[in-house]
Amino acid sequence: MAITAPRVLVVAGSDSSGGAGLSRDIEAIAAFSLHTALAVSAVTVQTHRQVLAVEAMPPALVADQMRAALEANPVGAIKIGMLATKGTIEAVASVLHEHPHLPAVLDPVLAASSGGALLEPDAVAALTHDLMPLCRLITPNLQELALLAGSQSVRSGEEALHQGRNLLDAGAPAVLVKGGHGSGTWSTDILLRPDSEPVRFEALRLNRSLRGTGCMLASAIAALMALDTTLEESVRRAKQFVHDRIGCGA
Ligand code: PLP
Protein backbone atom coordinates (compact mmCIF):
# COMPACT_ATOMS: atom_id res chain seq x y z
CA MET A 1 0.00 0.00 0.00
CA ALA A 2 1.37 3.42 -0.93
CA ILE A 3 2.20 5.62 2.03
CA THR A 4 0.62 9.06 1.61
CA ALA A 5 3.05 11.90 2.32
CA PRO A 6 1.65 14.51 4.69
CA ARG A 7 0.42 17.76 3.23
CA VAL A 8 1.14 21.22 4.53
CA LEU A 9 -2.02 23.21 5.20
CA VAL A 10 -1.46 26.82 4.16
CA VAL A 11 -3.69 29.51 5.65
CA ALA A 12 -2.82 32.68 3.73
CA GLY A 13 -3.81 35.37 1.25
CA SER A 14 -3.41 35.52 -2.51
CA ASP A 15 -1.23 38.13 -4.21
CA SER A 16 -2.17 38.81 -7.83
CA SER A 17 1.41 39.80 -8.69
CA GLY A 18 2.67 36.34 -7.68
CA GLY A 19 5.40 38.00 -5.62
CA ALA A 20 4.17 36.84 -2.23
CA GLY A 21 1.39 34.98 -0.44
CA LEU A 22 -0.14 31.70 -1.55
CA SER A 23 1.75 31.24 -4.80
CA ARG A 24 5.08 31.61 -2.96
CA ASP A 25 3.89 29.22 -0.25
CA ILE A 26 2.95 26.54 -2.77
CA GLU A 27 6.25 26.96 -4.64
CA ALA A 28 8.28 26.62 -1.44
CA ILE A 29 6.42 23.56 -0.19
CA ALA A 30 6.63 21.89 -3.60
CA ALA A 31 10.42 22.39 -3.51
CA PHE A 32 10.42 19.90 -0.60
CA SER A 33 8.31 17.50 -2.68
CA LEU A 34 5.16 18.00 -0.60
CA HIS A 35 1.66 18.98 -1.64
CA THR A 36 -0.41 21.70 -0.02
CA ALA A 37 -3.97 22.01 1.21
CA LEU A 38 -5.39 25.53 1.30
CA ALA A 39 -7.48 27.84 3.45
CA VAL A 40 -7.66 31.21 1.65
CA SER A 41 -7.89 34.05 4.18
CA ALA A 42 -7.96 37.00 1.78
CA VAL A 43 -7.75 37.96 -1.86
CA THR A 44 -5.45 40.89 -2.55
CA VAL A 45 -5.00 42.98 -5.67
CA GLN A 46 -1.29 43.81 -5.78
CA THR A 47 1.43 44.79 -8.15
CA HIS A 48 5.04 44.59 -6.96
CA ARG A 49 4.73 48.29 -6.11
CA GLN A 50 1.41 48.64 -4.34
CA VAL A 51 -1.54 47.01 -2.64
CA LEU A 52 -4.65 48.12 -4.56
CA ALA A 53 -7.34 46.16 -2.72
CA VAL A 54 -7.79 43.62 0.07
CA GLU A 55 -10.90 41.47 0.37
CA ALA A 56 -10.88 39.42 3.58
CA MET A 57 -12.76 36.13 3.52
CA PRO A 58 -15.44 35.67 6.20
CA PRO A 59 -13.77 34.11 9.30
CA ALA A 60 -16.16 31.12 9.36
CA LEU A 61 -15.26 30.36 5.73
CA VAL A 62 -11.56 30.30 6.64
CA ALA A 63 -12.21 27.94 9.57
CA ASP A 64 -14.42 25.73 7.37
CA GLN A 65 -11.68 25.49 4.73
CA MET A 66 -9.18 24.47 7.42
CA ARG A 67 -11.48 21.81 8.88
CA ALA A 68 -12.28 20.40 5.43
CA ALA A 69 -8.58 20.33 4.49
CA LEU A 70 -7.76 18.52 7.74
CA GLU A 71 -10.55 16.01 7.22
CA ALA A 72 -9.61 15.34 3.60
CA ASN A 73 -5.86 14.74 4.07
CA PRO A 74 -3.14 13.69 6.46
CA VAL A 75 -1.65 17.09 7.35
CA GLY A 76 1.86 17.22 8.81
CA ALA A 77 2.12 20.95 9.58
CA ILE A 78 0.26 24.23 9.15
CA LYS A 79 1.74 27.43 7.74
CA ILE A 80 -0.13 30.60 8.65
CA GLY A 81 0.50 33.84 6.76
CA MET A 82 -1.74 36.86 6.09
CA LEU A 83 -4.92 36.75 8.18
CA ALA A 84 -6.29 40.26 7.51
CA THR A 85 -8.76 40.58 10.41
CA LYS A 86 -9.20 39.92 14.12
CA GLY A 87 -12.19 37.68 13.37
CA THR A 88 -10.07 35.45 11.14
CA ILE A 89 -7.31 35.26 13.76
CA GLU A 90 -9.89 34.05 16.29
CA ALA A 91 -11.37 31.56 13.81
CA VAL A 92 -7.92 30.12 13.00
CA ALA A 93 -7.12 29.90 16.73
CA SER A 94 -10.32 27.91 17.32
CA VAL A 95 -9.26 25.32 14.70
CA LEU A 96 -5.74 25.09 16.15
CA HIS A 97 -7.27 24.38 19.56
CA GLU A 98 -8.83 21.26 17.99
CA HIS A 99 -5.39 20.03 16.78
CA PRO A 100 -2.95 20.75 19.61
CA HIS A 101 -0.28 18.32 18.33
CA LEU A 102 -0.08 19.67 14.79
CA PRO A 103 2.89 22.04 14.45
CA ALA A 104 1.95 25.49 13.13
CA VAL A 105 4.38 28.12 11.86
CA LEU A 106 3.08 31.69 12.03
CA ASP A 107 4.49 34.38 9.74
CA PRO A 108 2.89 37.46 11.35
CA VAL A 109 2.14 39.35 8.13
CA LEU A 110 1.29 42.99 8.85
CA ALA A 111 2.08 44.80 5.60
CA ALA A 112 3.49 44.30 2.11
CA SER A 113 6.99 45.61 1.47
CA SER A 114 5.32 48.25 -0.75
CA GLY A 115 3.77 49.61 2.48
CA GLY A 116 0.13 48.50 2.05
CA ALA A 117 -1.48 47.14 5.22
CA LEU A 118 -2.41 43.44 5.20
CA LEU A 119 -3.71 43.24 8.79
CA GLU A 120 -6.24 45.52 10.48
CA PRO A 121 -4.48 47.59 13.17
CA ASP A 122 -6.88 46.40 15.91
CA ALA A 123 -5.93 42.77 15.18
CA VAL A 124 -2.32 42.88 16.38
CA ALA A 125 -3.21 42.12 20.02
CA ALA A 126 -5.26 39.08 18.95
CA LEU A 127 -2.28 37.79 16.96
CA THR A 128 -0.08 38.06 20.06
CA HIS A 129 -2.51 36.78 22.67
CA ASP A 130 -4.87 34.39 20.87
CA LEU A 131 -2.75 32.84 18.12
CA MET A 132 0.95 32.97 19.01
CA PRO A 133 0.69 30.63 22.02
CA LEU A 134 -0.93 27.95 19.81
CA CYS A 135 1.88 27.95 17.23
CA ARG A 136 5.19 26.08 17.36
CA LEU A 137 7.18 28.98 15.84
CA ILE A 138 6.63 32.69 15.06
CA THR A 139 8.80 34.24 12.33
CA PRO A 140 8.67 38.06 12.58
CA ASN A 141 10.97 40.40 10.68
CA LEU A 142 12.34 43.33 12.67
CA GLN A 143 9.41 45.62 11.88
CA GLU A 144 6.81 42.98 12.73
CA LEU A 145 8.70 42.10 15.89
CA ALA A 146 8.61 45.72 17.10
CA LEU A 147 4.89 46.06 16.44
CA LEU A 148 4.03 42.74 18.09
CA ALA A 149 6.14 43.71 21.09
CA GLY A 150 4.33 47.06 21.29
CA SER A 151 7.12 49.40 20.11
CA GLN A 152 7.63 51.55 17.05
CA SER A 153 10.95 50.16 15.81
CA VAL A 154 13.97 48.07 16.68
CA ARG A 155 17.06 50.22 17.19
CA SER A 156 19.68 47.57 17.96
CA GLY A 157 20.36 43.84 17.95
CA GLU A 158 20.09 43.86 21.75
CA GLU A 159 16.67 45.48 21.55
CA ALA A 160 15.52 42.89 18.97
CA LEU A 161 16.51 40.08 21.34
CA HIS A 162 14.69 41.82 24.18
CA GLN A 163 11.52 42.19 22.07
CA GLY A 164 11.79 38.56 20.93
CA ARG A 165 11.98 37.47 24.59
CA ASN A 166 8.87 39.59 25.27
CA LEU A 167 7.03 37.46 22.72
CA LEU A 168 8.22 34.30 24.52
CA ASP A 169 6.90 35.81 27.76
CA ALA A 170 3.58 36.46 25.99
CA GLY A 171 3.31 32.72 25.28
CA ALA A 172 5.10 32.09 21.96
CA PRO A 173 6.92 28.73 22.28
CA ALA A 174 9.70 29.84 19.87
CA VAL A 175 10.50 33.02 17.96
CA LEU A 176 12.75 33.31 14.91
CA VAL A 177 13.89 36.94 14.77
CA LYS A 178 14.66 37.55 11.09
CA GLY A 179 17.44 40.01 10.34
CA GLY A 180 16.98 40.03 6.58
CA HIS A 181 15.67 43.60 6.52
CA GLY A 182 18.61 44.87 8.59
CA SER A 183 22.03 45.91 7.27
CA GLY A 184 25.60 44.56 7.34
CA THR A 185 27.51 41.80 5.59
CA TRP A 186 25.58 39.01 7.23
CA SER A 187 21.86 38.38 7.31
CA THR A 188 21.40 36.76 10.71
CA ASP A 189 18.26 35.11 12.03
CA ILE A 190 18.10 34.23 15.73
CA LEU A 191 16.01 31.40 17.15
CA LEU A 192 14.79 32.12 20.68
CA ARG A 193 13.25 29.50 22.95
CA PRO A 194 12.43 29.79 26.65
CA ASP A 195 14.89 27.22 28.00
CA SER A 196 17.72 27.28 25.46
CA GLU A 197 20.50 29.62 24.43
CA PRO A 198 19.70 31.66 21.29
CA VAL A 199 20.76 29.90 18.07
CA ARG A 200 22.11 32.07 15.24
CA PHE A 201 21.69 31.28 11.54
CA GLU A 202 23.93 33.32 9.28
CA ALA A 203 23.93 33.80 5.52
CA LEU A 204 25.92 36.24 3.43
CA ARG A 205 23.63 39.20 2.68
CA LEU A 206 22.91 39.20 -1.05
CA ASN A 207 22.97 42.38 -3.05
CA ARG A 208 19.47 41.86 -4.44
CA SER A 209 16.02 41.57 -2.98
CA LEU A 210 13.07 39.37 -3.72
CA ARG A 211 9.46 39.70 -2.56
CA GLY A 212 7.80 36.92 -0.63
CA THR A 213 10.89 35.70 1.19
CA GLY A 214 9.04 35.71 4.54
CA CYS A 215 6.26 33.56 3.04
CA MET A 216 8.81 31.17 1.53
CA LEU A 217 10.83 30.83 4.74
CA ALA A 218 7.83 30.01 6.95
CA SER A 219 6.44 27.59 4.34
CA ALA A 220 9.78 25.83 3.94
CA ILE A 221 10.07 25.48 7.73
CA ALA A 222 6.53 24.05 7.88
CA ALA A 223 7.32 21.61 5.04
CA LEU A 224 10.43 20.38 6.84
CA MET A 225 8.52 20.05 10.12
CA ALA A 226 5.86 18.03 8.29
CA LEU A 227 8.73 15.71 7.34
CA ASP A 228 9.60 15.31 11.04
CA THR A 229 12.71 17.47 10.89
CA THR A 230 13.66 19.15 14.20
CA LEU A 231 12.83 22.83 14.60
CA GLU A 232 16.47 23.93 14.51
CA GLU A 233 17.34 21.86 11.45
CA SER A 234 14.13 23.00 9.71
CA VAL A 235 15.13 26.64 10.22
CA ARG A 236 18.69 26.00 9.02
CA ARG A 237 17.62 24.22 5.83
CA ALA A 238 14.76 26.64 5.12
CA LYS A 239 17.08 29.63 5.40
CA GLN A 240 19.49 28.01 2.95
CA PHE A 241 16.57 27.37 0.59
CA VAL A 242 15.46 31.03 0.67
CA HIS A 243 19.06 32.22 0.28
CA ASP A 244 19.42 30.08 -2.85
CA ARG A 245 16.12 31.43 -4.22
CA ILE A 246 17.21 35.04 -3.68
CA GLY A 247 20.51 34.16 -5.32
CA CYS A 248 18.80 32.95 -8.48
CA GLY A 249 16.27 35.83 -8.43
CA ALA A 250 13.16 33.65 -8.30
N1 PLP B 1 0.91 39.84 0.08
C1 PLP B 1 0.52 38.74 0.70
C2 PLP B 1 -0.79 38.13 0.32
C3 PLP B 1 1.33 38.16 1.67
O1 PLP B 1 0.94 37.06 2.31
C4 PLP B 1 2.56 38.75 2.00
C5 PLP B 1 3.39 38.07 2.96
O2 PLP B 1 4.21 38.51 3.67
C6 PLP B 1 2.92 39.93 1.36
C7 PLP B 1 2.08 40.45 0.40
C8 PLP B 1 4.15 40.66 1.72
O3 PLP B 1 5.19 40.27 0.92
P1 PLP B 1 6.29 41.34 0.56
O4 PLP B 1 6.87 41.78 1.87
O5 PLP B 1 7.26 40.62 -0.26
O6 PLP B 1 5.58 42.46 -0.14
Side-chain angles (χ1 to χ4, degrees):
M1 197 174 83
I3 297 170
T4 316
R7 283 179 189 252
V8 178
L9 169 55
V10 178
V11 186
S14 69
D15 169 357
S16 45
S17 74
L22 283 168
S23 43
R24 285 302 198 194
D25 295 322
I26 296 166
E27 286 167 19
I29 292 160
F32 292 90
S33 302
L34 290 184
H35 293 290
T36 49
L38 298 180
V40 180
S41 57
V43 172
T44 75
V45 181
Q46 293 188 63
T47 65
H48 294 311
R49 297 225 194 118
Q50 57 181 327
V51 178
L52 297 155
V54 173
E55 187 79 33
M57 296 296 112
L61 186 66
V62 180
D64 285 349
Q65 291 175 77
M66 290 179 75
R67 290 193 179 101
L70 288 158
E71 190 192 311
N73 307 285
V75 168
I78 302 179
K79 182 261 151 118
I80 304 169
M82 175 185 179
L83 294 176
T85 67
K86 186 166 175 262
T88 297
I89 292 169
E90 289 165 355
V92 171
S94 73
V95 179
L96 293 192
H97 268 298
E98 296 160 15
H99 298 271
H101 302 298
L102 204 50
V105 179
L106 172 64
D107 179 19
V109 176
L110 304 179
S113 45
S114 61
L118 299 176
L119 183 72
E120 291 173 353
D122 73 345
V124 176
L127 207 55
T128 310
H129 297 113
D130 298 342
L131 199 54
M132 271 187 355
L134 302 172
C135 296
R136 199 67 59 88
L137 176 70
I138 325 299
T139 62
N141 62 32
L142 294 178
Q143 220 175 352
E144 291 159 353
L145 176 66
L147 280 161
L148 290 171
S151 347
Q152 287 306 308
S153 63
V154 178
R155 283 179 297 270
S156 65
E158 261 318 295
E159 195 178 5
L161 286 184
H162 180 70
Q163 291 177 348
R165 290 198 187 95
N166 283 350
L167 297 192
L168 295 181
D169 291 343
V175 177
L176 183 67
V177 175
K178 297 184 296 191
H181 291 79
S183 55
T185 311
W186 296 96
S187 149
T188 306
D189 297 346
I190 305 175
L191 179 62
L192 300 174
R193 284 167 294 186
D195 302 318
S196 325
E197 286 298 307
V199 182
R200 290 172 181 269
F201 302 87
E202 312 233 308
L204 205 54
R205 189 178 296 284
L206 296 172
N207 199 10
R208 51 168 40 156
S209 68
L210 185 69
R211 292 195 52 228
T213 52
C215 306
M216 285 194 268
L217 182 77
S219 286
I221 294 171
L224 285 156
M225 289 175 80
L227 293 167
D228 279 336
T229 312
T230 63
L231 178 60
E232 204 172 311
E233 182 63 10
S234 297
V235 172
R236 194 184 64 72
R237 286 177 55 191
K239 184 169 171 74
Q240 183 64 48
F241 165 75
V242 173
H243 185 264
D244 293 347
R245 283 293 164 110
I246 298 172
C248 70

